[in-house]
Amino acid sequence: MEQKEVFLKSEGDKWFERNKECLNGVPKPYEFYKIYIKPGFKILEIGCSCGHDLDYFQQYYNCKCYGIDPSKDAVEEGKEKYTNLNLKVGTSDKLEFEDECFDFVIFGFCLYLVDRKFLLKTICEADRVLKNG
Ligand SMILES: C[S@@+](CC[C@H](N)C(=O)[O-])C[C@H]1O[C@@H](n2cnc3c(N)ncnc32)[C@H](O)[C@@H]1O
């Protein structure tokens, strides 16, 4: 079975269950993004879990935030908790967004979980949805 099927079926939810209590408590190098992100940017996080990092970008950079993750539980909880985010269930190899519609795309520490055979497709998809420049 492909890794992405495992994550869609159960492992995404299991990861979320194991980690959800501490997702907001982990200090992240958000300052690092300052040089790349401008207020109002449209951002996509691939592997966003419940969208806890996107919530930061929404609040502090006033960005329009979108996220995908294979965990139905994480996406469901994120939709309830962060109503300003646009979250959906999905995987990195098939992004259901139009071409060149995002200013910034983040891989949310998920590339190590992507099936090797979908790695190039994953990079192509990120490039496809990212605006030129
Ligand atoms: C290590 S967690 C990181 C979550 C969050 N971005 C963070 O930094 O706290 C990796 C996330 O990637 C998701 N994931 C696993 N396989 C994926 C895939 N093929 N495409 C997109 N996300 C995936 C998992 O469900 C999990 O939520």
Side-chain angles (χ1 to χ4, degrees):
M1 193 190 265
E2 284 159 0
Q3 173 96 335
K4 77 164 184 170
E5 296 304 334
V6 175
F7 265 81
L8 282 164
K9 196 168 167 226
S10 58
E11 195 51 41
D13 290 343
K14 286 185 190 162
W15 187 92
F16 182 58
E17 188 56 40
R18 285 195 303 274
N19 293 280
K20 65 179 176 186
E21 295 309 326
C22 55
L23 287 180
N24 277 321
V26 180
K28 291 275 177 78
Y30 290 120
E31 288 291 307
F32 164 81
Y33 292 100
K34 240 181 182 168
I35 53 173
Y36 300 108
I37 294 180
K38 295 193 181 77
F41 262 20
K42 192 171 162 187
I43 293 182
L44 170 67
E45 183 181 3
I46 302 169
C48 66
S49 188
C50 61
H52 51 285
D53 285 340
L54 287 172
D55 180 53
Y56 176 91
F57 294 119
Q58 207 281 318
Q59 285 192 51
Y60 293 94
Y61 294 96
N62 195 23
C63 292
K64 282 191 193 133
C65 296
Y66 293 73
I68 65 133
D69 198 281
S71 167
K72 293 174 200 67
D73 290 351
V75 167
E76 218 168 88
E77 188 160 319
K79 278 181 168 175
E80 276 174 28
K81 203 167 169 187
Y82 311 116
T83 51
N84 288 336
L85 305 181
N86 302 278
L87 306 177
K88 57 182 172 184
V89 174
T91 53
S92 59
D93 54 294
K94 190 169 186 292
L95 301 176
E96 293 183 354
F97 299 101
E98 289 177 9
D99 294 357
E100 298 186 25
C101 65
F102 290 104
D103 299 292
F104 199 72
V105 175
I106 300 166
F107 285 107
F109 197 34
C110 67
L111 282 174
Y112 77 107
L113 298 169
V114 174
D115 296 277
R116 301 299 89 178
K117 70 174 184 181
F118 293 132
L119 264 184
L120 291 181
K121 181 83 174 95
T122 288
I123 302 303
C124 285
E125 279 292 88
D127 185 53
R128 180 184 64 75
V129 299
L130 194 55
K131 283 181 192 168
N132 242 339

